[in-house]
């Protein structure tokens, strides 16, 4: 199939493109490089065994989208593009609403005009908010996000449900991610954001390599065993493979389906740090700070639906996540800089 991947040079998008190419799909990437680098295209092609078409541009550019659909006629869209930093969304909510909401609506309009029916959306566990009890399952109510980033995910999910109701032939899959970490085991592809990282694993790696003086751990008084936040960390390759299963699910079907992609296990921040120290042999200097606005104490998934309906289950351990991150951080200085 031909697949349009928005945000395909980003962290999760690039790993998913590798898996798509390995399966023989033709891949078209649209990315504005706001928080990624075109340099990832080389390892994506090498690891995937094929060369994706790359278009630099913004998903809010309707004429550009129309030209992509006219030229490449994708059979499906996997939609990663968007802003994703929780603290930044609190400081700049209009930027998040403009980019994430308007961008998705513009993309759907172009899809509808081109007759493209299949859509996989990069959603988030943040849609479950702070009032549901763990483990989170797909039938729980949403609509109570603790930050604008999460609110955009809730709103996009609703937009997609409304769109599918008005377009009976549409087939849409909402994938609610938990906490993606790790890197490709080759060491050639991983998380390399522009500027100072916001996610915990690249911060840990930067401290381990001396690029940052200490790891700031935010939140030490949560109601958890060690006081730090508990999250469901999932290896990015497992996450990418979940998209492959979702793509199989939507092609040939209609309506909206929803799946959690996580491990189903909660790991505290300190447990993750200790695992990284064990794998790398590096003791990380640490400083502790109050929790960030919008953070919740505990978040992990019920993944039984994905196992039952997609035949998907995360396979990689926390040690694998730490080992692959450490390997990537040492081998790919050109992408990390």
């Amino acid at each position: 199939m031909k697949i349009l991947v928005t945000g395909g040079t980003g962290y999760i998008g690039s790993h998913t493109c590798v898996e798509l190419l390995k399966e023989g799909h033709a891949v078209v990437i649209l990315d504005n490089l706001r928080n990624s680098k075109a340099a990832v295209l080389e390892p994506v092609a090498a690891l995937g065994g094929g060369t994706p078409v790359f278009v630099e541009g913004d998903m809010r550019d309707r004429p550009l989208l129309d030209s992509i659909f006219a030229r490449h006629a994708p059979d499906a869209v996997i939609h990663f593009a968007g802003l994703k930093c929780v603290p930044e969304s609190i400081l700049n909510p209009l930027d998040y609403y403009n980019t994430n909401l308007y961008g998705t609506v513009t993309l759907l309009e172009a899809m509808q005009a081109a007759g493209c029916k299949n859509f996989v959306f990069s959603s988030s566990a943040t849609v479950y908010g702070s009032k549901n009890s763990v483990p989170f399952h797909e039938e729980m109510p949403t609509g109570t996000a603790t930050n604008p980033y999460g609110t955009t995910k809730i709103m996009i999910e609703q937009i997609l449900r409304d769109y599918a109701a008005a377009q009976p032939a549409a087939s849409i899959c909402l994938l609610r991610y938990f906490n993606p970490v790790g890197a490709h085991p080759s060491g050639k592809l991983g998380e390399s954001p522009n500027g100072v990282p916001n996610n915990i694993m690249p911060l840990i790696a930067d401290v381990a390599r001396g690029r940052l003086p200490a790891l700031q751990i935010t939140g030490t008084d949560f109601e958890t065993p060690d006081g730090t936040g508990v999250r469901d960390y999932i290896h990015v390759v497992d996450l990418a493979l979940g998209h492959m299963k979702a793509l199989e699910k939507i092609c040939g079907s209609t309506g909206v389906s929803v799946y959690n992609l996580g491990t189903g296990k909660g790991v505290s921040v300190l447990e993750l740090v200790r695992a990284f120290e064990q794998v790398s042999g590096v003791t990380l200097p640490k400083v502790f700070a109050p929790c960030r606005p919008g953070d919740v104490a505990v978040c992990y998934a019920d993944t039984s639906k994905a196992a039952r309906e997609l035949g998907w289950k995360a396979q990689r351990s926390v040690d694998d996540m730490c080992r692959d991150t450490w390997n990537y951080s040492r081998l790919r200085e050109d992408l990390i800089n």
Side-chain angles (χ1 to χ4, degrees):
M1 291 192 295
K2 295 180 182 178
I3 315 296
L4 172 61
V5 182
T6 70
T9 59
Y11 175 44
I12 304 169
S14 60
H15 286 79
T16 302
C17 286
V18 168
E19 300 304 323
L20 289 167
L21 291 166
K22 285 168 64 176
E23 290 295 316
H25 297 294
V27 174
V28 179
I29 294 172
L30 172 66
D31 204 305
N32 65 4
L33 303 179
R34 174 166 172 172
N35 194 37
S36 61
K37 301 175 178 68
V40 304
L41 294 168
E42 181 181 346
V44 164
L47 295 169
T51 302
V53 173
F54 174 63
V55 179
E56 183 176 351
D58 196 291
M59 62 179 170
R60 293 168 291 183
D61 184 342
R62 177 61 190 278
L64 176 62
L65 289 175
D66 287 340
S67 70
I68 291 171
F69 279 99
R71 181 174 181 179
H72 299 287
D75 302 295
V77 174
I78 303 181
H79 181 33
F80 295 105
L83 303 179
K84 63 175 185 174
C85 176
V86 168
E88 182 184 64
S89 78
I90 295 170
L91 294 173
N92 301 300
L94 294 183
D95 194 15
Y96 273 67
Y97 290 123
N98 182 285
T99 300
N100 294 2
L101 297 184
Y102 177 58
T104 301
V105 169
T106 305
L107 177 60
L108 289 170
E109 289 174 340
M111 284 183 61
Q112 183 178 358
C116 182
K117 308 296 186 184
N118 302 308
F119 192 87
V120 178
F121 175 56
S122 169
S123 192
S124 167
T126 60
V127 303
Y128 292 114
S130 59
K131 297 180 180 179
N132 288 310
S133 58
V134 291
F136 296 147
H137 61 79
E138 292 87 347
E139 287 70 39
M140 283 179 167
T142 61
T144 57
T146 58
N147 54 77
Y149 161 73
T151 301
T152 67
K153 295 296 187 182
I154 291 169
M155 294 174 74
I156 292 170
E157 285 197 4
Q158 187 59 52
I159 288 168
L160 290 169
R161 292 182 189 278
D162 293 340
Y163 176 79
Q167 301 288 325
S171 185
I172 295 172
C173 188
L174 313 177
L175 296 180
R176 293 173 179 168
Y177 307 164
F178 281 69
N179 289 73
V181 296
H184 195 276
S186 67
K188 295 180 179 180
L189 195 65
E191 188 169 8
S192 53
N194 295 335
V196 177
N198 291 303
N199 295 336
I200 187 168
M201 197 63 101
L203 285 170
I204 288 173
D206 278 357
V207 173
R209 300 195 66 242
R211 297 167 61 89
L212 291 174
L215 176 67
Q216 180 172 284
I217 297 176
T218 55
T220 58
D221 57 355
F222 288 117
E223 293 184 7
T224 61
D226 61 21
T228 64
V230 170
R231 298 291 181 266
D232 188 337
Y233 297 103
I234 176 173
H235 197 293
V236 66
V237 174
D238 280 331
L239 190 59
L241 292 170
H243 288 77
M244 303 298 293
K245 292 293 188 179
L247 194 61
E248 294 175 12
K249 168 76 175 179
I250 63 171
C251 292
S253 65
T254 59
V256 179
S257 53
V258 186
Y259 299 99
N260 289 335
L261 295 185
T263 65
K265 299 176 182 178
V267 176
S268 77
V269 172
L270 280 178
E271 287 173 330
L272 181 69
V273 171
R274 294 189 189 107
F276 190 93
E277 290 177 329
Q278 183 77 19
V279 164
S280 67
V282 177
T283 300
L284 303 177
K286 309 168 191 68
V287 295
F288 296 90
C291 65
R292 302 174 300 184
D295 277 348
V296 297
V298 180
C299 176
Y300 62 93
D302 179 335
T303 61
S304 59
K305 185 180 179 184
R308 183 174 64 252
E309 297 186 10
L310 297 182
W312 174 90
K313 186 177 180 180
Q315 301 294 327
R316 291 158 182 82
S317 68
V318 170
D319 285 349
D320 294 328
M321 303 171 200
C322 293
R323 185 179 300 106
D324 290 339
T325 298
W326 181 231
N327 189 38
Y328 169 72
S329 71
R330 290 179 297 165
L331 294 179
R332 295 299 294 179
E333 194 73 27
D334 57 325
L335 290 181
I336 295 172
N337 282 334

